[in-house]
């Protein structure tokens, strides 16, 4: 039963569902070790996704600033 619950919990993980809670105690050391490893891997995955999102945001900001710096201010007509 513990492996089935762990397996079902893993199947529920998606990019839209990165929050998952698993029981911490099963009474079987091997199952608890698998559970700890899964939770650690899951934390690393969430951190990697956050870093990737931040890197993409930084890249988009840099692209925006580069385009903005290329604009010729003489072509902008001031409003009256």
């Amino acid at each position: 039963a513990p492996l089935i619950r762990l397996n079902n919990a893993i199947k529920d993980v998606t990019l839209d569902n990165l929050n998952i809670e698993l029981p911490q105690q099963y009474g079987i050391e091997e199952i608890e070790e698998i559970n700890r490893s899964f939770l650690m891997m899951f934390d690393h995955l969430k951190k990697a996704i956050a870093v990737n999102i931040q890197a993409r945001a930084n890249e988009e900001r840099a692209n925006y600033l580069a385009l903005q710096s290329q604009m010729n201010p003489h072509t902008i007509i001031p409003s009256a």
Side-chain angles (χ1 to χ4, degrees), residues 2-34:
L3 283 178
I4 292 171
R5 283 189 300 221
L6 186 60
N7 188 38
N8 289 337
I10 291 170
K11 288 178 184 178
D12 291 339
V13 175
T14 66
L15 286 177
D16 296 329
N17 178 24
L18 290 178
N19 295 317
I20 192 167
E21 293 189 22
L22 298 171
Q24 295 295 319
Q25 298 296 320
Y26 290 101
I28 303 169
E29 184 61 35
E30 290 85 1
I31 302 295
E32 290 177 12
E33 184 62 33
I34 291 169

